[in-house]
Amino acid sequence: NGNFQIETDMRRRNGDVFLAEISASEILDEAGQRRAIVSIVRDISLRRQAEQVLISARQLAERAAERTGRLQRVTAALTQGLTANEVYDVILTQSSAALDASASAIYLADDDRQNLYLAGSVGYPESVRAKVQRLRVNGSTPGAHVFRTRQPLWIRSAGEFNVRYPELQGNRDVSRNEALAIMPLSLDENALGVLALSFNAPREFEAEDRDFLMTLAGQCAQALERTRLYEAERQARAESESARHRLSVL
């Protein structure tokens, strides 16, 4: 129709590259013959940058809404009267799905708090699980470190993991995981255990990822404590009933 418009990179005289919008229109005479072409070049770099900022802001808001919804679903699931194994299942399933983790594991402190035992896991090969059923609290494993310090650990790749924990490289090679996030499961000053998430590709843990996972870990810790108290109460009732039964027999 005698008009066209394109966007392309152009270079200024000083060598700087910018995004340009080029539009052109024909000038016709009374007979309909082309007499000239008028071309306009506009620098649209700032406009595109502003559009990208809006897109990024919308994506961020969508991710925040999705994670808020997931936290609400996790809260609803964990506030039900669940057994310990059911709590483990909710935690592992929801935490893995939250950031597309390839595997997850829960370690809890045993009664003497000298070891962490593997309470539940998904996604790890059995050969790896067999080697890490128990972790010494005073050991050099990443899970033990997080439990002692009550500070999360964020490892971006298998290469970084192998540099920091060369003695565990074999496990990482078998599982073929890359990034690793380990969060403490704590209530006030009471450390219960750790939650570990592995990823099959390297990744950066942005601030929003870290905040989300720490919030999720806090919810998990509360649910674990509720379950522990419920189980203790149930056992106490059972022992009381058993004692009354023995007295009645006497």
Side-chain angles (χ1 to χ4, degrees):
N1 62 3
N3 300 297
F4 77 95
Q5 186 178 81
I6 62 170
E7 294 179 4
T8 186
D9 289 335
M10 296 189 69
R11 191 177 299 275
R12 306 183 197 278
R13 290 183 180 180
N14 65 2
D16 292 344
V17 176
F18 67 99
L19 181 63
E21 178 186 84
I22 303 174
S23 57
S25 300
E26 291 181 323
I27 303 299
L28 306 178
D29 60 18
E30 294 179 353
Q33 298 299 312
R34 180 190 300 162
R35 304 299 298 175
I37 295 179
V38 176
S39 180
I40 300 174
V41 179
R42 297 185 181 89
D43 183 346
I44 60 171
S45 301
L46 293 179
R47 188 177 78 191
R48 280 290 180 268
Q49 291 173 10
E51 291 173 351
Q52 188 58 50
V53 168
L54 290 175
I55 292 172
S56 298
R58 183 169 62 249
Q59 292 173 341
L60 183 63
E62 290 172 351
R63 287 197 300 270
E66 192 278 332
R67 289 177 179 179
T68 298
R70 184 175 295 279
L71 286 173
Q72 291 172 341
R73 292 192 294 274
V74 171
T75 300
L78 292 177
T79 51
Q80 301 177 27
L82 303 177
T83 65
N85 286 334
E86 288 171 336
V87 169
Y88 302 155
D89 183 63
V90 171
I91 292 173
L92 294 169
T93 301
Q94 293 294 335
S95 61
S96 294
L99 294 180
D100 294 325
S102 56
S104 58
I106 298 172
Y107 282 91
L108 298 177
D110 58 16
D111 292 339
D112 62 9
R113 302 182 69 79
Q114 296 301 307
N115 294 279
L116 299 173
Y117 67 91
L118 184 62
S121 70
V122 294
Y124 290 106
E126 186 57 38
S127 58
V128 173
R129 283 170 40 87
K131 295 178 181 178
V132 293
Q133 287 292 317
R134 300 184 76 81
L135 306 176
R136 291 289 297 173
V137 167
N138 62 358
S140 59
T141 60
H145 174 78
V146 170
F147 180 79
R148 290 195 307 269
T149 63
R150 299 179 193 173
Q151 295 297 316
L153 179 66
W154 318 102
I155 295 180
R156 294 166 294 183
S157 67
E160 181 180 345
F161 181 92
N162 294 338
V163 168
R164 298 180 65 169
Y165 304 98
E167 69 279 7
L168 300 176
Q169 179 174 347
N171 290 347
R172 213 67 183 163
D173 291 343
V174 171
S175 67
R176 296 187 178 181
N177 288 312
E178 286 280 345
L180 173 67
I182 305 181
M183 290 70 62
L185 297 172
S186 302
L187 282 177
D188 299 324
E189 298 301 317
N190 184 26
L192 306 179
V194 298
L195 171 63
L197 299 180
S198 291
F199 301 83
N200 57 17
R203 68 174 296 154
E204 295 287 342
F205 293 97
E206 304 295 343
E208 61 182 282
D209 297 331
R210 300 184 184 201
D211 290 344
F212 173 79
L213 288 175
M214 288 300 292
T215 301
L216 180 62
Q219 289 187 339
C220 295
Q222 293 176 25
L224 290 170
E225 181 65 6
R226 284 195 301 269
T227 300
R228 185 190 68 81
L229 294 174
Y230 172 77
E231 292 291 342
E233 181 184 356
R234 184 184 62 80
Q235 183 175 355
R237 286 200 304 267
E239 291 174 353
S240 176
E241 288 294 333
S242 178
R244 281 200 295 268
H245 176 71
R246 288 196 300 272
L247 289 174
S248 66
V249 171
L250 293 176

